Amino acid sequence: MNASSKNILDNSLTTLKEWQDSFGEWRQDPTLEVSNERIEATFNRLAQRLKCNFPFHHPVYAGQMLKPPHPLTWAAYAMAMSINPNNHALDGGPPSSEMEKEALTELAHFFGYGDEFLGHLTASGTIANLEALWVARESHPDKKIAFSPHAHYTHERMCSVLRIEGVKIPVFEDGAFDLSSINADDIGTIVVTLGTTGLGEVEPLDQILPWAKEYGIRVHIDAAYGGFFRTLKDTDLIDGTSWELMEHADSIVVDPHKHGLQPYGCGCVLFKDPAVGKFYKHDSPYTYFTSEDLHLGEISLECSRAGAAAVALWATLQLFPLKEKEGFGPILGKCRNAALKMYELTDSSSKFKPFKKPELDILGYFPSGVTTTSEISSKSKEIFDNGMKDRSFYLSLYRIPAEVFTKLHPEFEVDSEYVTILRSVFMKPEHEAFIPELLERIGQV
């Protein structure tokens, strides 16, 4: 954040302070006061403790799905937290609730939904998917929920929580679902993941939609990770087929705290048909009295929820539009280019091989110069550990059944049940320029 931006924020904080003071003089109660010595000692220790984190802010970190929020985003979050609104009911945060509704409308339109929809922010993608599957259960109480083996483990776990039977659909090598393997009459909802959390794979929505329509099956899209890549659907950077069809899904989940530049936790669930609000219907003897307008708690399984998350997302969407050539599009484009560049460099490298071409911004790859699956795993783990120990780079690992691995790489002898390979998530636009240096560092191990 530059000096000019800081001056703008300082002015905004002054305006907010003037509003706070407009209600009359008051004094913080003495029980809340802490000596300067204790404040200084505590925050000095805190700073030292926080330095034990991995460098999530730097492109040298290409491990898990950790993307730093934009400085202006956490500034907006911090401003709202000075008030600490609660978006459960309008009397807990009238402005932040309105900002949530406005931000949700932008997201709904971005995914192709019209003005009539239902949705809200959540504390996480897990809770968002829980609500989507809960509505799926209430819509078809005697039906099963289907998903692929690549779907996030949330779905299987939430099926257990909701006491619904989950069905895993086998997937062919080309990514198509083996729909003939299940009885469609048993299925109430099918989950399609646009951007798996393993390798960022985009599941075939174009295959699923006509099949689901034929059998009256609801379609839920889990775009928790990949949702913002829709900004690139009309470019040559990704295959836009599935992204173009999102508007036909019955529900969509996206996590703004992944590619949306938000701090944790900020998930989101959207329903195309607002009539599903009937499943949320409830009453409270002490809330929902300040306005006849919709209170977000009336369409949410969660109760108290940070209004600051809505304020931060609203501010971010004002600063970074959901467009191809402005705002999020250029950011996501650089992340995608980083993965493609890493793929090309490993593909031509004498030290590494890519597992497969990435569809978004996650790449799996492994060390060459070995002959067996167990050696791949051992060498990958060694590289992973040494990078962490030397603090020269930070990666993650990905475990694949050996039979799946050797379908793409049959030249390796199978002597283990699983193969562990290296995995890099290029969530930061700065990764695009940093890829050659990152690979050079990894190659020195």
Side-chain angles (χ1 to χ4, degrees), residues 11 72 75 133 189 240 244 276 285 297-298 338 363 384 419:
N11 292 336
L72 294 173
L133 298 193
T189 296
E244 288 279 3
V276 301
E298 296 181 276
L363 180 70
F384 170 80
V419 185

Side-chain angles (χ1 to χ4, degrees), residues 124-284:
S124 67
T126 301
I127 298 301
N129 276 314
L130 169 64
E131 292 203 26
L133 298 193
W134 173 70
V135 167
R137 185 192 72 179
E138 298 303 294
S139 300
H140 296 293
D142 299 319
K143 299 279 189 170
K144 302 174 183 178
I145 292 177
F147 42 84
S148 84
H150 302 303
H152 196 273
Y153 60 81
T154 289
H155 301 290
E156 187 170 14
R157 188 166 63 175
M158 290 304 102
C159 281
S160 177
V161 169
L162 294 166
R163 297 292 188 264
I164 317 169
E165 185 175 347
V167 177
K168 285 190 178 180
I169 305 174
V171 175
F172 296 114
E173 286 183 51
D174 63 357
F177 283 30
D178 183 4
L179 298 173
S180 64
S181 67
I182 59 173
N183 183 355
D185 293 331
D186 292 339
I187 307 300
T189 296
I190 185 168
V191 178
V192 182
T193 306
L194 300 189
T196 62
T197 51
L199 294 176
E201 294 162 306
V202 179
E203 295 187 329
L205 186 58
D206 57 323
Q207 177 203 11
I208 304 301
L209 280 171
W211 175 84
K213 184 177 181 180
E214 179 183 354
Y215 291 99
I217 296 172
R218 297 177 72 260
V219 174
H220 169 59
I221 293 179
D222 182 358
Y225 183 75
F228 286 88
F229 278 96
R230 184 175 158 93
T231 54
L232 305 180
K233 66 181 176 62
D234 296 321
T235 73
D236 59 0
L237 286 174
I238 65 172
D239 181 349
T241 305
S242 289
W243 305 99
E244 288 279 3
L245 298 169
M246 293 183 74
E247 64 192 78
H248 300 292
D250 295 280
S251 56
I252 299 171
V253 159
V254 65
D255 271 1
H257 67 213
K258 289 191 170 71
H259 270 299
L261 303 176
Q262 301 306 294
Y264 293 108
C266 186
C268 172
V269 61
L270 297 165
F271 297 98
K272 186 174 184 178
D273 182 4
V276 301
K278 65 185 178 183
F279 300 127
Y280 289 94
K281 188 172 177 58
H282 66 282
D283 197 7
S284 167

